[in-house]
Amino acid sequence: MSDAALPPLTIVEIQHRVGAELDRIGSVIDELGVLFAEAGEELALVGGPVRDAMLGRLQSDLDFTTSARPEVTERLVSGWADAVWDMGRAFGTIGCRKGPWQVEITTYRSETYDPTSRKPDVDFGDHLAGDLGRRDFTVNSMAVRVPGREFEDPFGGIVDLAERVLRTPGAPEDSFSDDPLRMMRAARFAAQLGFAVAPEVVAAMTAMAGRIEIISAERVRDELVKLVCAPHPRLGLSLLVETGLASHVLPELPALALERDEHHRHKDVYEHTLTVLEQSIDLEHRLGSGPDFISRFAALMHDVGKPKTRRFESGGTVTFHHHDVVGAKLTRKRMQALRFSNHDIEAVSTLVELHLRFHGYGSGEWTDSAVRRYVRDAGTQLERLHILTRADCTTRNQRKAERLRRTYDSLEERIARLGEEEELASIRPDLDGNQIMEILGVGPGREVGEAYRFLLELRMDEGPRTPEQAEAALRGWWAGRQG
């Protein structure tokens, strides 16, 4: 994948795309527009749907802004929509569903932040232009009035979109002061759309990076997930590092830009990490789904233990012993701070901890026992571990890269062969707890757990046994303990 700048669009191309998209969604937007017009209210399609229509990105989520207050909007759509909800009422938003369309309608508004607050104050407005002026970027500050389909663009968003650049409707300092999360959104939109960010916006992000601290961890996390899962994550991540925002929300990332030793004997860990991320994205098809956050974030975090473990040895050698274990701990701590789910934390930290395991495989000398342990330790993350391990090869030495690829091919083939023979993914001892207690004549307790672990290690080392063989081994182990 490439993060090279995309070519600019022509206004004619944009107009053609918008016309086609408005025709596609016409049955919804025109009906709704008439409904509000007959009630004496204004209604306009706004923000993301308008921007995406210009980019040729089809959507089923439609955002509108209106002069109507929330209680009026709710009354108007209640007889028209298939379902209505009002979870966003405090922010002026009423949601509804009409056939396949998800619709959100928000009263004209302005949002401001108190310098020490995490939540916006909401003031309703009376004019579309005022509502558009409070939005984050000019490409999101365009609207189409319905049902007449008049285009509104008071801040030149169509030109910025054609040139693929992100600017704010007013001074970026004012915009980011009102809502500091918009700085994260700038990086996210760069990653999603492949847009450049205007120099004055970058300057404001750099000057105000510390203001992100007032935003809740959950909101920062959600923006980070969207950025990482975007088509061009390198663009967004590089912007976070360049502006200093990453030092506040993901400090492990800029820490990877290690000061290189004077002889340049180790590669740039930061650039290596971004390359591993891109190479893991290229392998996501193995998971059979779209963007996979766990796989991508593991690639991003896999070497975060290196700064803490870097050592300069005699002769100028640089080592990072145990950076996998240290990195897993740092990953867990960061993801906890960002309020990720326990499932995601466990999945990503497991991958970080195991990402070096393959390199103990040498040229393929692992025993069947070692292969079984590799599969057991990876558990449900085995396919993602395959992806991360392959992506972690960024050497420009083609001969070395080809040797590593062949060796990993061999490991996967052995895993598949043993898997067919032994059901590796669900390895259990050859005797269960009840059988252990019956054979040893003991009740539930510590001895049963120890016996279970002995049989599991035996199963890992020597493969499956018959019940009779397992019983004989268990009795021998028990006799040794008693003696």
Side-chain angles (χ1 to χ4, degrees), residues 28 31-32 35-36 73-85 94-105:
V28 175
E31 264 186 32
L32 202 53
L35 196 65
F36 276 71
T73 296
E74 185 175 27
R75 174 171 55 80
L76 290 174
V77 300
S78 291
W80 172 81
D82 300 326
V84 179
W85 52 90
I94 301 296
C96 64
R97 177 177 54 80
K98 178 70 170 181
W101 311 104
Q102 298 289 328
V103 175
E104 286 195 351
I105 305 171

PDB file of all heavy atoms in Angstrom, residues 28 31-32 35-36 73-85 94-105:
ATOM      1  N   VAL A  28     -35.203   9.344   0.064  1.00  0.00           N
ATOM      2  CA  VAL A  28     -35.175   9.644   1.492  1.00  0.00           C
ATOM      3  C   VAL A  28     -35.045  11.144   1.733  1.00  0.00           C
ATOM      4  O   VAL A  28     -35.836  11.748   2.464  1.00  0.00           O
ATOM      5  CB  VAL A  28     -34.007   8.901   2.191  1.00  0.00           C
ATOM      6  CG1 VAL A  28     -33.918   9.309   3.645  1.00  0.00           C
ATOM      7  CG2 VAL A  28     -34.194   7.411   2.062  1.00  0.00           C
ATOM      8  N   GLU A  31     -38.194  13.284   0.497  1.00  0.00           N
ATOM      9  CA  GLU A  31     -39.369  13.063   1.360  1.00  0.00           C
ATOM     10  C   GLU A  31     -39.207  13.805   2.678  1.00  0.00           C
ATOM     11  O   GLU A  31     -40.121  14.494   3.141  1.00  0.00           O
ATOM     12  CB  GLU A  31     -39.526  11.561   1.657  1.00  0.00           C
ATOM     13  CG  GLU A  31     -40.490  10.843   0.754  1.00  0.00           C
ATOM     14  CD  GLU A  31     -40.699   9.397   1.211  1.00  0.00           C
ATOM     15  OE1 GLU A  31     -40.622   9.142   2.441  1.00  0.00           O
ATOM     16  OE2 GLU A  31     -40.917   8.544   0.356  1.00  0.00           O
ATOM     17  N   LEU A  32     -38.029  13.643   3.275  1.00  0.00           N
ATOM     18  CA  LEU A  32     -37.783  14.260   4.578  1.00  0.00           C
ATOM     19  C   LEU A  32     -37.766  15.788   4.448  1.00  0.00           C
ATOM     20  O   LEU A  32     -38.285  16.506   5.320  1.00  0.00           O
ATOM     21  CB  LEU A  32     -36.453  13.741   5.132  1.00  0.00           C
ATOM     22  CG  LEU A  32     -36.226  13.813   6.644  1.00  0.00           C
ATOM     23  CD1 LEU A  32     -37.361  13.167   7.411  1.00  0.00           C
ATOM     24  CD2 LEU A  32     -34.897  13.143   6.995  1.00  0.00           C
ATOM     25  N   LEU A  35     -41.256  17.089   4.321  1.00  0.00           N
ATOM     26  CA  LEU A  35     -41.869  16.962   5.644  1.00  0.00           C
ATOM     27  C   LEU A  35     -41.514  18.166   6.521  1.00  0.00           C
ATOM     28  O   LEU A  35     -42.383  18.759   7.176  1.00  0.00           O
ATOM     29  CB  LEU A  35     -41.386  15.663   6.290  1.00  0.00           C
ATOM     30  CG  LEU A  35     -42.147  15.113   7.494  1.00  0.00           C
ATOM     31  CD1 LEU A  35     -43.567  14.716   7.098  1.00  0.00           C
ATOM     32  CD2 LEU A  35     -41.413  13.892   8.059  1.00  0.00           C
ATOM     33  N   PHE A  36     -40.242  18.552   6.523  1.00  0.00           N
ATOM     34  CA  PHE A  36     -39.811  19.677   7.347  1.00  0.00           C
ATOM     35  C   PHE A  36     -40.249  21.011   6.747  1.00  0.00           C
ATOM     36  O   PHE A  36     -40.634  21.931   7.471  1.00  0.00           O
ATOM     37  CB  PHE A  36     -38.283  19.642   7.525  1.00  0.00           C
ATOM     38  CG  PHE A  36     -37.830  18.737   8.646  1.00  0.00           C
ATOM     39  CD1 PHE A  36     -37.922  17.357   8.522  1.00  0.00           C
ATOM     40  CD2 PHE A  36     -37.332  19.253   9.829  1.00  0.00           C
ATOM     41  CE1 PHE A  36     -37.517  16.510   9.546  1.00  0.00           C
ATOM     42  CE2 PHE A  36     -36.926  18.424  10.861  1.00  0.00           C
ATOM     43  CZ  PHE A  36     -37.024  17.041  10.725  1.00  0.00           C
ATOM     44  N   THR A  73     -38.411  17.911  15.757  1.00  0.00           N
ATOM     45  CA  THR A  73     -37.868  16.865  14.875  1.00  0.00           C
ATOM     46  C   THR A  73     -38.453  15.508  15.223  1.00  0.00           C
ATOM     47  O   THR A  73     -38.880  14.750  14.338  1.00  0.00           O
ATOM     48  CB  THR A  73     -36.328  16.817  15.008  1.00  0.00           C
ATOM     49  OG1 THR A  73     -35.781  18.055  14.541  1.00  0.00           O
ATOM     50  CG2 THR A  73     -35.746  15.674  14.211  1.00  0.00           C
ATOM     51  N   GLU A  74     -38.500  15.192  16.514  1.00  0.00           N
ATOM     52  CA  GLU A  74     -39.033  13.894  16.935  1.00  0.00           C
ATOM     53  C   GLU A  74     -40.480  13.734  16.507  1.00  0.00           C
ATOM     54  O   GLU A  74     -40.884  12.667  16.016  1.00  0.00           O
ATOM     55  CB  GLU A  74     -38.896  13.748  18.443  1.00  0.00           C
ATOM     56  CG  GLU A  74     -39.319  12.379  18.961  1.00  0.00           C
ATOM     57  CD  GLU A  74     -39.061  12.218  20.440  1.00  0.00           C
ATOM     58  OE1 GLU A  74     -39.057  13.241  21.157  1.00  0.00           O
ATOM     59  OE2 GLU A  74     -38.868  11.072  20.879  1.00  0.00           O
ATOM     60  N   ARG A  75     -41.250  14.795  16.635  1.00  0.00           N
ATOM     61  CA  ARG A  75     -42.670  14.723  16.233  1.00  0.00           C
ATOM     62  C   ARG A  75     -42.800  14.530  14.721  1.00  0.00           C
ATOM     63  O   ARG A  75     -43.622  13.736  14.260  1.00  0.00           O
ATOM     64  CB  ARG A  75     -43.383  15.990  16.681  1.00  0.00           C
ATOM     65  CG  ARG A  75     -44.831  16.099  16.199  1.00  0.00           C
ATOM     66  CD  ARG A  75     -45.543  17.274  16.855  1.00  0.00           C
ATOM     67  NE  ARG A  75     -44.835  18.534  16.668  1.00  0.00           N
ATOM     68  CZ  ARG A  75     -44.899  19.251  15.537  1.00  0.00           C
ATOM     69  NH1 ARG A  75     -45.616  18.819  14.514  1.00  0.00           N
ATOM     70  NH2 ARG A  75     -44.247  20.407  15.450  1.00  0.00           N
ATOM     71  N   LEU A  76     -41.967  15.216  13.949  1.00  0.00           N
ATOM     72  CA  LEU A  76     -42.078  15.137  12.498  1.00  0.00           C
ATOM     73  C   LEU A  76     -41.682  13.764  11.960  1.00  0.00           C
ATOM     74  O   LEU A  76     -42.317  13.248  11.023  1.00  0.00           O
ATOM     75  CB  LEU A  76     -41.203  16.214  11.850  1.00  0.00           C
ATOM     76  CG  LEU A  76     -41.672  17.666  12.024  1.00  0.00           C
ATOM     77  CD1 LEU A  76     -40.638  18.642  11.451  1.00  0.00           C
ATOM     78  CD2 LEU A  76     -43.028  17.876  11.338  1.00  0.00           C
ATOM     79  N   VAL A  77     -40.632  13.160  12.521  1.00  0.00           N
ATOM     80  CA  VAL A  77     -40.176  11.882  11.964  1.00  0.00           C
ATOM     81  C   VAL A  77     -40.919  10.686  12.536  1.00  0.00           C
ATOM     82  O   VAL A  77     -40.866   9.591  11.962  1.00  0.00           O
ATOM     83  CB  VAL A  77     -38.655  11.682  12.181  1.00  0.00           C
ATOM     84  CG1 VAL A  77     -37.871  12.792  11.509  1.00  0.00           C
ATOM     85  CG2 VAL A  77     -38.303  11.590  13.660  1.00  0.00           C
ATOM     86  N   SER A  78     -41.673  10.880  13.629  1.00  0.00           N
ATOM     87  CA  SER A  78     -42.340   9.747  14.272  1.00  0.00           C
ATOM     88  C   SER A  78     -43.361   9.078  13.361  1.00  0.00           C
ATOM     89  O   SER A  78     -43.561   7.869  13.436  1.00  0.00           O
ATOM     90  CB  SER A  78     -43.006  10.190  15.576  1.00  0.00           C
ATOM     91  OG  SER A  78     -42.034  10.521  16.547  1.00  0.00           O
ATOM     92  N   GLY A  79     -43.989   9.833  12.493  1.00  0.00           N
ATOM     93  CA  GLY A  79     -44.953   9.216  11.587  1.00  0.00           C
ATOM     94  C   GLY A  79     -44.351   8.784  10.270  1.00  0.00           C
ATOM     95  O   GLY A  79     -45.050   8.223   9.412  1.00  0.00           O
ATOM     96  N   TRP A  80     -43.069   9.069  10.093  1.00  0.00           N
ATOM     97  CA  TRP A  80     -42.412   8.775   8.806  1.00  0.00           C
ATOM     98  C   TRP A  80     -41.400   7.637   8.912  1.00  0.00           C
ATOM     99  O   TRP A  80     -41.324   6.783   8.032  1.00  0.00           O
ATOM    100  CB  TRP A  80     -41.713  10.053   8.336  1.00  0.00           C
ATOM    101  CG  TRP A  80     -40.836   9.904   7.145  1.00  0.00           C
ATOM    102  CD1 TRP A  80     -41.218   9.870   5.836  1.00  0.00           C
ATOM    103  CD2 TRP A  80     -39.398   9.767   7.148  1.00  0.00           C
ATOM    104  NE1 TRP A  80     -40.131   9.725   5.014  1.00  0.00           N
ATOM    105  CE2 TRP A  80     -38.982   9.668   5.799  1.00  0.00           C
ATOM    106  CE3 TRP A  80     -38.430   9.742   8.152  1.00  0.00           C
ATOM    107  CZ2 TRP A  80     -37.653   9.511   5.431  1.00  0.00           C
ATOM    108  CZ3 TRP A  80     -37.104   9.596   7.792  1.00  0.00           C
ATOM    109  CH2 TRP A  80     -36.725   9.480   6.444  1.00  0.00           C
ATOM    110  N   ALA A  81     -40.642   7.605   9.993  1.00  0.00           N
ATOM    111  CA  ALA A  81     -39.554   6.628  10.132  1.00  0.00           C
ATOM    112  C   ALA A  81     -40.065   5.282  10.622  1.00  0.00           C
ATOM    113  O   ALA A  81     -41.145   5.170  11.215  1.00  0.00           O
ATOM    114  CB  ALA A  81     -38.496   7.170  11.098  1.00  0.00           C
ATOM    115  N   ASP A  82     -39.279   4.246  10.378  1.00  0.00           N
ATOM    116  CA  ASP A  82     -39.610   2.900  10.875  1.00  0.00           C
ATOM    117  C   ASP A  82     -39.288   2.773  12.361  1.00  0.00           C
ATOM    118  O   ASP A  82     -39.915   1.982  13.065  1.00  0.00           O
ATOM    119  CB  ASP A  82     -38.804   1.851  10.096  1.00  0.00           C
ATOM    120  CG  ASP A  82     -39.111   1.884   8.603  1.00  0.00           C
ATOM    121  OD1 ASP A  82     -40.276   2.160   8.240  1.00  0.00           O
ATOM    122  OD2 ASP A  82     -38.194   1.644   7.805  1.00  0.00           O
ATOM    123  N   ALA A  83     -38.316   3.530  12.818  1.00  0.00           N
ATOM    124  CA  ALA A  83     -37.943   3.520  14.240  1.00  0.00           C
ATOM    125  C   ALA A  83     -37.297   4.863  14.568  1.00  0.00           C
ATOM    126  O   ALA A  83     -36.654   5.475  13.718  1.00  0.00           O
ATOM    127  CB  ALA A  83     -36.973   2.378  14.541  1.00  0.00           C
ATOM    128  N   VAL A  84     -37.490   5.303  15.817  1.00  0.00           N
ATOM    129  CA  VAL A  84     -36.961   6.594  16.246  1.00  0.00           C
ATOM    130  C   VAL A  84     -36.275   6.416  17.598  1.00  0.00           C
ATOM    131  O   VAL A  84     -36.759   5.665  18.450  1.00  0.00           O
ATOM    132  CB  VAL A  84     -38.086   7.650  16.377  1.00  0.00           C
ATOM    133  CG1 VAL A  84     -37.514   8.980  16.858  1.00  0.00           C
ATOM    134  CG2 VAL A  84     -38.819   7.824  15.052  1.00  0.00           C
ATOM    135  N   TRP A  85     -35.133   7.092  17.814  1.00  0.00           N
ATOM    136  CA  TRP A  85     -34.476   7.068  19.113  1.00  0.00           C
ATOM    137  C   TRP A  85     -33.934   8.461  19.434  1.00  0.00           C
ATOM    138  O   TRP A  85     -33.687   9.265  18.533  1.00  0.00           O
ATOM    139  CB  TRP A  85     -33.361   6.029  19.163  1.00  0.00           C
ATOM    140  CG  TRP A  85     -32.366   6.118  18.060  1.00  0.00           C
ATOM    141  CD1 TRP A  85     -31.213   6.827  18.028  1.00  0.00           C
ATOM    142  CD2 TRP A  85     -32.436   5.454  16.780  1.00  0.00           C
ATOM    143  NE1 TRP A  85     -30.550   6.652  16.845  1.00  0.00           N
ATOM    144  CE2 TRP A  85     -31.279   5.820  16.053  1.00  0.00           C
ATOM    145  CE3 TRP A  85     -33.364   4.579  16.192  1.00  0.00           C
ATOM    146  CZ2 TRP A  85     -31.033   5.344  14.762  1.00  0.00           C
ATOM    147  CZ3 TRP A  85     -33.109   4.115  14.914  1.00  0.00           C
ATOM    148  CH2 TRP A  85     -31.959   4.492  14.214  1.00  0.00           C
ATOM    149  N   ILE A  94     -31.756  13.771  17.064  1.00  0.00           N
ATOM    150  CA  ILE A  94     -32.752  12.705  17.039  1.00  0.00           C
ATOM    151  C   ILE A  94     -32.359  11.742  15.933  1.00  0.00           C
ATOM    152  O   ILE A  94     -32.064  12.149  14.807  1.00  0.00           O
ATOM    153  CB  ILE A  94     -34.176  13.258  16.772  1.00  0.00           C
ATOM    154  CG1 ILE A  94     -34.578  14.260  17.855  1.00  0.00           C
ATOM    155  CG2 ILE A  94     -35.181  12.107  16.672  1.00  0.00           C
ATOM    156  CD1 ILE A  94     -34.702  13.667  19.249  1.00  0.00           C
ATOM    157  N   GLY A  95     -32.334  10.452  16.246  1.00  0.00           N
ATOM    158  CA  GLY A  95     -31.979   9.437  15.260  1.00  0.00           C
ATOM    159  C   GLY A  95     -33.190   8.650  14.829  1.00  0.00           C
ATOM    160  O   GLY A  95     -34.170   8.524  15.574  1.00  0.00           O
ATOM    161  N   CYS A  96     -33.116   8.115  13.613  1.00  0.00           N
ATOM    162  CA  CYS A  96     -34.205   7.263  13.141  1.00  0.00           C
ATOM    163  C   CYS A  96     -33.709   6.361  12.018  1.00  0.00           C
ATOM    164  O   CYS A  96     -32.616   6.550  11.479  1.00  0.00           O
ATOM    165  CB  CYS A  96     -35.401   8.102  12.687  1.00  0.00           C
ATOM    166  SG  CYS A  96     -35.091   9.179  11.275  1.00  0.00           S
ATOM    167  N   ARG A  97     -34.545   5.377  11.689  1.00  0.00           N
ATOM    168  CA  ARG A  97     -34.249   4.464  10.585  1.00  0.00           C
ATOM    169  C   ARG A  97     -35.413   4.472   9.616  1.00  0.00           C
ATOM    170  O   ARG A  97     -36.578   4.415  10.016  1.00  0.00           O
ATOM    171  CB  ARG A  97     -34.005   3.050  11.113  1.00  0.00           C
ATOM    172  CG  ARG A  97     -33.752   2.018  10.008  1.00  0.00           C
ATOM    173  CD  ARG A  97     -33.433   0.653  10.598  1.00  0.00           C
ATOM    174  NE  ARG A  97     -34.457   0.199  11.539  1.00  0.00           N
ATOM    175  CZ  ARG A  97     -35.626  -0.345  11.157  1.00  0.00           C
ATOM    176  NH1 ARG A  97     -35.924  -0.475   9.871  1.00  0.00           N
ATOM    177  NH2 ARG A  97     -36.485  -0.755  12.074  1.00  0.00           N
ATOM    178  N   LYS A  98     -35.081   4.550   8.333  1.00  0.00           N
ATOM    179  CA  LYS A  98     -36.079   4.486   7.280  1.00  0.00           C
ATOM    180  C   LYS A  98     -35.587   3.492   6.246  1.00  0.00           C
ATOM    181  O   LYS A  98     -34.643   3.773   5.493  1.00  0.00           O
ATOM    182  CB  LYS A  98     -36.272   5.860   6.647  1.00  0.00           C
ATOM    183  CG  LYS A  98     -37.278   5.884   5.487  1.00  0.00           C
ATOM    184  CD  LYS A  98     -38.704   5.685   5.979  1.00  0.00           C
ATOM    185  CE  LYS A  98     -39.695   5.950   4.845  1.00  0.00           C
ATOM    186  NZ  LYS A  98     -41.100   5.780   5.292  1.00  0.00           N
ATOM    187  N   GLY A  99     -36.182   2.289   6.244  1.00  0.00           N
ATOM    188  CA  GLY A  99     -35.685   1.250   5.357  1.00  0.00           C
ATOM    189  C   GLY A  99     -34.228   0.960   5.675  1.00  0.00           C
ATOM    190  O   GLY A  99     -33.864   0.755   6.832  1.00  0.00           O
ATOM    191  N   PRO A 100     -33.335   0.996   4.669  1.00  0.00           N
ATOM    192  CA  PRO A 100     -31.916   0.707   4.919  1.00  0.00           C
ATOM    193  C   PRO A 100     -31.129   1.906   5.415  1.00  0.00           C
ATOM    194  O   PRO A 100     -29.936   1.796   5.690  1.00  0.00           O
ATOM    195  CB  PRO A 100     -31.402   0.282   3.529  1.00  0.00           C
ATOM    196  CG  PRO A 100     -32.242   1.075   2.583  1.00  0.00           C
ATOM    197  CD  PRO A 100     -33.621   1.165   3.218  1.00  0.00           C
ATOM    198  N   TRP A 101     -31.774   3.071   5.552  1.00  0.00           N
ATOM    199  CA  TRP A 101     -31.056   4.294   5.866  1.00  0.00           C
ATOM    200  C   TRP A 101     -31.062   4.581   7.363  1.00  0.00           C
ATOM    201  O   TRP A 101     -32.098   4.526   8.006  1.00  0.00           O
ATOM    202  CB  TRP A 101     -31.686   5.492   5.129  1.00  0.00           C
ATOM    203  CG  TRP A 101     -31.903   5.239   3.670  1.00  0.00           C
ATOM    204  CD1 TRP A 101     -33.086   4.974   3.058  1.00  0.00           C
ATOM    205  CD2 TRP A 101     -30.910   5.200   2.650  1.00  0.00           C
ATOM    206  NE1 TRP A 101     -32.903   4.773   1.721  1.00  0.00           N
ATOM    207  CE2 TRP A 101     -31.567   4.910   1.430  1.00  0.00           C
ATOM    208  CE3 TRP A 101     -29.538   5.407   2.636  1.00  0.00           C
ATOM    209  CZ2 TRP A 101     -30.892   4.805   0.230  1.00  0.00           C
ATOM    210  CZ3 TRP A 101     -28.864   5.297   1.426  1.00  0.00           C
ATOM    211  CH2 TRP A 101     -29.530   5.002   0.245  1.00  0.00           C
ATOM    212  N   GLN A 102     -29.872   4.887   7.905  1.00  0.00           N
ATOM    213  CA  GLN A 102     -29.742   5.368   9.277  1.00  0.00           C
ATOM    214  C   GLN A 102     -29.639   6.891   9.214  1.00  0.00           C
ATOM    215  O   GLN A 102     -28.751   7.421   8.523  1.00  0.00           O
ATOM    216  CB  GLN A 102     -28.496   4.788   9.943  1.00  0.00           C
ATOM    217  CG  GLN A 102     -28.514   3.271  10.072  1.00  0.00           C
ATOM    218  CD  GLN A 102     -29.516   2.785  11.104  1.00  0.00           C
ATOM    219  OE1 GLN A 102     -29.776   3.457  12.097  1.00  0.00           O
ATOM    220  NE2 GLN A 102     -30.088   1.618  10.867  1.00  0.00           N
ATOM    221  N   VAL A 103     -30.527   7.580   9.905  1.00  0.00           N
ATOM    222  CA  VAL A 103     -30.640   9.024   9.786  1.00  0.00           C
ATOM    223  C   VAL A 103     -30.427   9.685  11.149  1.00  0.00           C
ATOM    224  O   VAL A 103     -30.978   9.228  12.153  1.00  0.00           O
ATOM    225  CB  VAL A 103     -32.030   9.426   9.225  1.00  0.00           C
ATOM    226  CG1 VAL A 103     -32.197  10.938   9.202  1.00  0.00           C
ATOM    227  CG2 VAL A 103     -32.230   8.835   7.830  1.00  0.00           C
ATOM    228  N   GLU A 104     -29.601  10.737  11.179  1.00  0.00           N
ATOM    229  CA  GLU A 104     -29.471  11.567  12.378  1.00  0.00           C
ATOM    230  C   GLU A 104     -29.766  13.011  11.995  1.00  0.00           C
ATOM    231  O   GLU A 104     -29.212  13.522  11.003  1.00  0.00           O
ATOM    232  CB  GLU A 104     -28.069  11.456  12.993  1.00  0.00           C
ATOM    233  CG  GLU A 104     -27.835  10.133  13.716  1.00  0.00           C
ATOM    234  CD  GLU A 104     -26.613  10.170  14.609  1.00  0.00           C
ATOM    235  OE1 GLU A 104     -25.851  11.158  14.532  1.00  0.00           O
ATOM    236  OE2 GLU A 104     -26.430   9.211  15.388  1.00  0.00           O
ATOM    237  N   ILE A 105     -30.635  13.657  12.772  1.00  0.00           N
ATOM    238  CA  ILE A 105     -31.039  15.027  12.490  1.00  0.00           C
ATOM    239  C   ILE A 105     -30.718  15.872  13.719  1.00  0.00           C
ATOM    240  O   ILE A 105     -31.220  15.601  14.809  1.00  0.00           O
ATOM    241  CB  ILE A 105     -32.546  15.103  12.163  1.00  0.00           C
ATOM    242  CG1 ILE A 105     -32.887  14.145  11.020  1.00  0.00           C
ATOM    243  CG2 ILE A 105     -32.942  16.537  11.806  1.00  0.00           C
ATOM    244  CD1 ILE A 105     -34.383  13.983  10.781  1.00  0.00           C
TER     245      ILE A 105
END
